[in-house]
Amino acid sequence: MSAVLHKLPLGREARTAKGVAVNHTSKLLAYAIVGIGALIMLAPFYFMFVFATQSRTDIFNVPPPLWFSGELLNNIKVLTTRLPFWKNVGWSLYVGLMSTALTLLFCSMAGYAFAMLEFRFKKALFALVMGTMMVPAFMNMIPSFMVMDTLGWIDTHRALYLPGAASAFGIFLMRQFAASTVPHELINAARIDGCSELGIYWRIALPLMKPALGTLGLITFISSWNNFMNPLIVMRTAENYTLPLALRSLFSTTSTEWGALMAGSAIATLPLLVLFVISSRQLIAGLTAGAVK
C-alpha cells in the first residue's frame, strides 16, 4: 500500500509534465503557422518595393531579383513623365480627407440619433439603412453614373466623396458604439439642464465616441485611397485621376513600364502602411469596444 501511495504523486507529476510539453508544442506550432502566414501575406509587399528599384528588364529575370537595386530614381522619373503623378497624389489625398470628414460627421449624427433619440419610424428607417448593405456594389454603377451626369458632376471630385458620405456601415458602427458607451442618464441630465440636442451631440456624445470615430475614419480613408471603380466611372481627364486610376493608365498592351508602375504602387502604399502601423491599436479598440460591458 505504501508503495502505491508513493507512486501516485509521481504519476500526477508525469501527467503534468506531459501536459506542459504538449502545450509548449502546441504554442510552437501555432507560432509557426502564424509566422508562415505572415510571410506569405508580406511577400507581395516586399517584392513590390524590390521591383520598384529594378529596371523593366531586370524584373523579368529568372530567378527574379530578391534585393534592392539602384533604378528607383529613374523609375520615378519615368512615372512623373508619363503621368501628372504628384497631382494625382494630391487629388487622392483631397478626396480621402473629404470622404473621411463627411463620413465621420454624418454617420456620427445618424448613429447618435438612432441610439439616443425616439422618433416615428425609427426601427423602419434603421432597417432600411441596414438593408442597403445587402445591395451588391456593382448594381449601383449605372444609377450612380446617371445621377452624376444629371447633376453635371462628371469629371469632378465631389462625385467621389459626396455620394458615399453617409455609409450604412458607418451609421451601424456609430449607432452600436453610442448605444453601448454613451449613458442615457448623462443625456437626460443634459436635457434637464437645458442643453439642446445639437449641443448634447457635440459636447457630450461626440467626445465619448472617439474610439469609434478613429476606427471609422481609418477604414473610410483607406477605402477612399484605394477606390478604383468610382473614379473609373466618373473621371475623364488624367489630371483629375486619383492614384489607383492613374496607375492603371500605365498599363499597355505593348510596353508597360513595370518599374515605374511598381514605384508608383510603392509610393501609394507607403502612407497606408504608416497609417496602419500608427493606428492599428485604435482600429482594434474601436472594433471591439462595446462588445463586453
Side-chain angles (χ1 to χ4, degrees), residues 48-264:
M48 178 181 65
F49 285 108
V50 170
F51 291 163
T53 64
Q54 307 287 339
S55 65
R56 183 174 62 178
T57 56
D58 291 338
I59 291 175
F60 292 97
N61 285 340
V62 179
L66 300 177
W67 194 244
F68 303 95
S69 183
E71 294 292 324
L72 177 62
L73 294 180
N74 185 50
N75 288 334
I76 293 177
K77 182 179 179 181
V78 173
L79 180 66
T80 54
T81 302
R82 296 278 298 270
L83 292 174
F85 181 72
W86 300 116
K87 182 178 288 187
N88 301 141
V89 172
W91 284 127
S92 286
L93 183 62
Y94 167 73
V95 172
L97 291 177
M98 289 298 296
S99 297
T100 303
L102 292 177
T103 298
L104 291 181
L105 176 63
F106 293 136
C107 290
S108 62
M109 293 178 71
Y112 168 78
F114 279 122
M116 295 295 160
L117 302 182
E118 295 296 332
F119 51 90
R120 293 184 64 186
F121 309 117
K122 173 181 173 179
K123 293 183 179 180
L125 288 174
F126 187 70
L128 179 62
V129 171
M130 293 296 98
T132 61
M133 297 178 67
M134 302 177 65
V135 180
F138 69 87
M139 293 184 64
N140 295 325
M141 293 172 57
I142 295 177
S144 296
F145 175 80
M146 295 176 64
V147 171
M148 296 302 107
D149 188 37
T150 302
L151 294 175
W153 288 3
I154 297 298
D155 206 24
T156 62
H157 294 94
R158 55 180 174 270
L160 301 179
Y161 58 79
L162 282 177
S167 65
F169 170 77
I171 294 173
F172 173 75
L173 178 65
M174 302 306 296
R175 186 259 183 191
Q176 296 300 108
F177 190 88
S180 61
T181 59
V182 180
H184 284 271
E185 295 80 5
L186 188 62
I187 302 300
N188 293 331
R191 288 171 181 160
I192 293 173
D193 288 340
C195 189
S196 64
E197 291 296 334
L198 184 60
I200 294 172
Y201 157 77
W202 188 259
R203 298 177 184 176
I204 298 175
L206 202 60
L208 295 176
M209 297 161 65
K210 281 183 179 179
L213 289 171
T215 300
L216 181 59
L218 180 62
I219 294 173
T220 303
F221 184 83
I222 292 175
S223 299
S224 175
W225 186 270
N226 292 329
N227 191 4
F228 173 76
M229 190 56 64
N230 289 346
L232 180 64
I233 295 172
V234 299
M235 290 300 166
R236 294 293 178 268
T237 57
E239 288 76 12
N240 291 332
Y241 285 172
T242 54
L243 270 177
L245 192 57
L247 293 176
R248 176 61 180 82
S249 66
L250 287 176
F251 280 96
S252 172
T253 56
T254 56
S255 59
T256 300
E257 292 289 344
W258 291 102
L261 181 61
M262 290 296 104

